[in-house]
Amino acid sequence: MTTLFIADLHLSDNEPAITAGFLVFLQREAVHADALYILGDLFEFWIGDDDPNELHDTVARALAELHDKGIPCYFIHGNRDFLIGKDFAKRSKMVLLPEECVIDVYGQKVLIMHGDTLCTDDPGYLRFRRYIRNPIIQKIFLSLPLFLRQKIAGKLRRQSKRSNRTKSSLMMDVNPLAVIKALKDHQVIHMIHGHTHRPAIHDMTIGGRLSQRAVLGAWHDNGSVLRVNPDDQIELASFPL
Ligand code: OKV
Ligand code: MN
C-alpha cells in the first residue's frame, strides 16, 4: 500500500524523455499505488484545454488508463498549468483539487499544495500571480484566439526567464514563516509541496511537536517521487527516466 506524490514534471514537446519517463512511471509504479497526487506543474505551460497539442492527449490517455485500472489521480494546479480546466480533467479522469487541501493519508492529516504561495519573499511573482489568477482576466485570456494566447504566453515566458536570472536563490525558496502560517491555518503538522525544485524532507518542531515538510523534486534528468505508506514511512526517491 502506497500513496504517491509528484510535481514539477514540466512536460513539454522540448523534453520528450521526461514524457516517456512519466508514461513508464505510470505503467510500472503508479498502477500498484492506492492513489497518485500531482501537485502542480505537470506541464511547462498551459494556455487552455482547447490547445490541440498531441502531448496533452497522450498524457490524458495515460492518466485515464490509470483511473480505469482503479487508481485515482488528484491534481492541484501549479504556477504554470493553473489554466488546466474541467475539460482536461474529464479527458484525463483526474480530480481537480483546490490550491490548498488537507487530505487523509492512512489516518494522517496532510496539507498539500503546489508551494508557490509559500515564496512570499518574491513580491514581483506574487503580483504577477494575483493578476493572472484573476477569474475575469482568465476569462478574457481564454476568449482570445489560440494564436494570440500562444504569442502572449511565449512573451511572458521569455520575460520570466530573464527576470529569474536576477532573483537570488533565497528569494526563490519558501519563507519559513509562510510555512508555519500555512500549517497553523490548516491545523496540521504534515505538509507536502513542490515548486522550489529542492527535494528534501524537513523536520521541524512547532509548539513542541515534531512536524514534517516534504518538498518534491522536479523532473529533469531524473524523475522524483514521494512514497507514503500506512506505517507512516515516507520516502523521497529519485529514479532515472
Ligand atoms: C505560466 C508563468 C507563463 C510564472 C495570461 C491572463 C494575460 C493567463 C495567462 C499566459 C501564460 C499561462 C496563462 C505561463 C506561468 C509564465 C511566465 C512566468 C512565473 C494572461 C491569464 F497576461 F494575458 F492576462 N497565461 N501562460 N510564469 O505560458 O503557461 O509562473 S504560461
Ligand atoms: Mn512551480
Side-chain angles (χ1 to χ4, degrees):
M1 284 171 87
T2 319
T3 297
L4 304 174
F5 297 84
I6 58 173
D8 301 295
L9 289 82
H10 296 270
L11 301 180
S12 81
D13 289 327
N14 298 335
E15 302 274 3
I18 302 177
T19 303
F22 178 51
L23 298 178
V24 170
F25 165 81
L26 292 178
Q27 282 163 5
R28 288 222 190 115
E29 173 150 17
V31 282
H32 304 294
D34 292 323
L36 172 66
Y37 287 86
I38 303 175
L39 305 188
D41 288 355
L42 174 60
F43 294 97
E44 172 65 11
F45 63 94
W46 197 269
I47 55 172
D49 291 0
D50 58 338
D51 184 348
N53 191 328
E54 209 184 300
L55 171 68
H56 301 176
D57 214 53
T58 308
V59 171
R61 271 177 221 263
L63 289 166
E65 199 180 309
L66 188 68
H67 173 276
D68 293 342
K69 287 177 181 157
I71 296 94
C73 179
Y74 303 93
F75 180 77
I76 294 183
H77 293 109
N79 58 299
R80 314 210 66 108
D81 52 14
F82 61 89
L83 277 186
I84 285 181
K86 288 200 178 93
D87 190 71
F88 185 75
K90 197 171 172 186
R91 277 160 65 202
S92 59
K93 302 188 184 177
M94 288 197 298
V95 176
L96 301 183
L97 298 177
E99 61 183 72
E100 290 183 7
C101 200
V102 175
I103 57 169
D104 184 299
V105 191
Y106 308 118
Q108 290 274 3
K109 284 203 296 172
V110 182
L111 173 61
I112 53 173
M113 61 171 82
H114 178 57
D116 56 323
T117 52
L118 299 169
C119 300
T120 53
D121 296 324
D122 187 350
Y125 168 68
L126 292 179
R127 209 176 329 110
F128 171 79
R129 186 184 201 275
R130 239 189 336 269
Y131 182 72
I132 55 172
R133 293 288 184 114
N134 178 323
I136 299 162
I137 301 286
Q138 288 191 3
K139 213 170 188 141
I140 296 169
F141 180 77
L142 288 172
S143 72
L144 299 173
L146 201 62
F147 83 93
L148 253 182
R149 278 180 273 157
Q150 271 157 347
K151 207 168 151 174
I152 294 168
K155 197 168 179 159
L156 287 173
R157 293 211 302 283
R158 280 190 297 277
Q159 273 176 5
S160 162
K161 263 193 199 130
R162 237 177 294 131
S163 86
N164 277 349
R165 283 205 291 265
T166 64
K167 286 180 187 174
S168 73
S169 81
L170 204 62
M171 203 168 143
M172 310 251 293
D173 200 359
V174 300
N175 177 299
L177 292 174
V179 170
I180 292 168
K181 184 177 186 307
L183 291 168
K184 276 208 173 123
D185 286 350
H186 291 277
Q187 303 266 300
V188 295
I189 53 168
H190 300 289
M191 175 169 177
I192 303 171
H193 69 82
H195 182 67
T196 60
H197 302 194
R198 296 165 196 241
I201 297 173
H202 299 277
D203 295 314
M204 315 162 271
T205 35
I206 300 178
R209 286 229 283 169
L210 192 64
S211 161
Q212 265 184 335
R213 175 172 65 98
V215 187
L216 306 171
W219 292 40
H220 290 301
D221 304 318
N222 291 295
S224 177
V225 63
L226 182 80
R227 306 184 181 116
V228 180
N229 70 34
D231 314 319
D232 201 23
Q233 272 162 12
I234 68 174
E235 174 191 32
L236 187 60
S238 161
F239 54 90
L241 292 171

